[in-house]
Amino acid sequence: MRRQWGRVRYRFGARLGPRRSAAGLPPATVILMSYRRPGNMRAIVGEVLRLGFVERVVVSNNNPDVALRISIRDRRLAILQQDRHRRASIRMALARDTAGERFLTCDDDLFLRAEQMEELYRRFLAQPEIVHGLVGSMRLPPGTDKSARSDLRGDRELDVVSRVAAFSRAHVDGWFRNLATLGLDSPDELQNGEDILLSLAGSGRPRCHDLGPLLECETTYRRGIALSREEGFHDRRRRIYDRLVRDHRARGQTCWEI
């Protein structure tokens, strides 16, 4: 279900209110990226800050041509203005350099309710050895137009979870091991596929959960804004996935398939 930004802002306006109880939940850090949809960040951040278990929210403005302003005052919120254009993979460097053991992240075209984020976090806490999400994909064989059957939802295992994820410090470490496997030294060298590296950072395949309808921005699949519409996007993702799966299988992790 998609909504244009004006409608999303109206719908979420009533939700920017009381903080939800965090009884029994360990603290988490939320890392968010802003690039081509800065107008969405107010609603996304507002919902995140309703979560009592969230101890910090880091928003990275990866577009130096835009001055990101979020009209929310909360001691947990930090906005980082990048001095050059950065890719979404910087979120893992921020996770690595930020204190905390548990993380949530969401793309800037997806408006999750606080209740959905909390329930995703609870599912993650019940099985913290793997990465958890709400949307993902299954790899398709060579010869097809795309790298994967994507935008899959429901309660199931997937090859890759995308757009939103709950993960641990151990998964951050695994992400950087996967980066090294690709022969890359810095997240900036990764054109796309950061979700693949994260999904393959757990001890098993990631898990997708059905937590109700997801409210999407109208620009989610728009050419010129959506990364998935860029030339060569799917071919690069297939190469990244296959290279990492071969490495995992060589090390005895047979849960991954090509």
Side-chain angles (χ1 to χ4, degrees):
M1 179 172 60
R2 299 173 205 162
R3 296 286 187 273
Q4 64 182 356
W5 162 241
R7 293 178 183 172
V8 168
R9 180 172 55 189
Y10 177 81
R11 178 171 177 171
F12 270 64
R15 295 185 175 276
L16 306 182
R19 188 183 303 184
R20 291 176 60 82
S21 171
L25 294 179
T29 295
V30 177
I31 298 179
L32 303 171
M33 305 283 101
S34 177
Y35 192 82
R36 291 172 175 165
R37 304 178 179 98
N40 292 356
M41 299 311 297
R42 171 66 167 82
I44 295 171
V45 170
E47 281 292 288
V48 167
L49 289 172
R50 292 184 59 217
L51 297 168
F53 65 84
V54 170
E55 62 179 347
R56 67 179 64 85
V57 180
V58 179
V59 180
S60 178
N61 180 20
N62 295 342
N63 185 355
D65 301 328
V66 173
L68 180 65
R69 297 180 178 89
I70 300 175
S71 57
I72 299 175
R73 299 183 67 178
D74 192 298
R75 61 174 180 79
R76 296 172 294 164
L77 175 62
I79 300 176
L80 307 180
Q81 175 68 51
Q82 301 296 334
D83 59 4
R84 57 191 173 91
H85 292 272
R86 309 297 293 265
R87 293 186 177 273
S89 53
I90 192 179
R91 88 175 81 210
M92 302 309 296
L94 294 175
R96 179 192 58 192
D97 298 337
T98 300
E101 296 298 320
R102 292 161 292 271
F103 302 89
L104 287 167
T105 190
C106 177
D107 284 356
D108 61 0
D109 64 343
L110 192 59
F111 302 92
L112 298 181
R113 303 190 311 275
E115 295 82 357
Q116 290 175 306
M117 287 183 276
E118 180 177 319
E119 184 57 29
L120 174 61
Y121 190 55
R122 291 182 183 275
R123 303 284 180 97
F124 160 71
L125 292 174
Q127 196 180 9
E129 64 273 14
I130 63 173
V131 178
H132 294 253
L134 303 179
V135 184
S137 59
M138 297 292 290
R139 181 195 180 279
L140 289 174
T144 54
D145 292 337
K146 294 186 176 182
S147 60
R149 188 157 50 98
S150 58
D151 201 31
L152 300 177
R153 308 181 187 193
D155 288 308
R156 57 189 295 179
E157 285 187 344
L158 292 175
D159 291 332
V160 177
V161 292
S162 306
R163 303 178 67 188
V164 55
F167 56 99
S168 69
R169 172 70 58 186
H171 297 139
V172 176
D173 295 339
W175 191 94
F176 279 93
R177 286 194 296 271
N178 286 335
L179 186 71
T181 296
L182 297 176
L184 304 178
D185 297 323
S186 166
D188 288 329
E189 300 177 61
L190 189 67
Q191 292 188 14
N192 71 52
E194 53 146 345
D195 54 334
I196 300 175
L197 275 66
L198 180 59
S199 295
L200 274 72
S203 62
R205 296 173 72 197
R207 188 86 195 178
C208 181
H209 303 280
D210 182 1
L211 301 183
L214 302 179
L215 189 63
E216 297 176 311
C217 178
E218 66 166 355
T219 67
T220 293
Y221 306 105
R222 181 178 295 173
R223 188 177 300 277
I225 295 180
L227 182 64
S228 61
R229 303 300 299 272
E230 290 184 0
E231 187 72 26
F233 176 85
H234 296 289
D235 288 340
R236 287 193 293 269
R237 289 180 65 83
R238 179 182 285 118
R239 289 195 297 270
I240 289 171
Y241 180 84
D242 291 355
R243 174 67 183 86
L244 293 179
V245 167
R246 287 194 296 269
D247 178 74
H248 278 257
R249 291 179 66 84
R251 292 188 282 110
Q253 266 190 288
T254 57
C255 61
W256 302 101
E257 299 178 358
I258 296 180

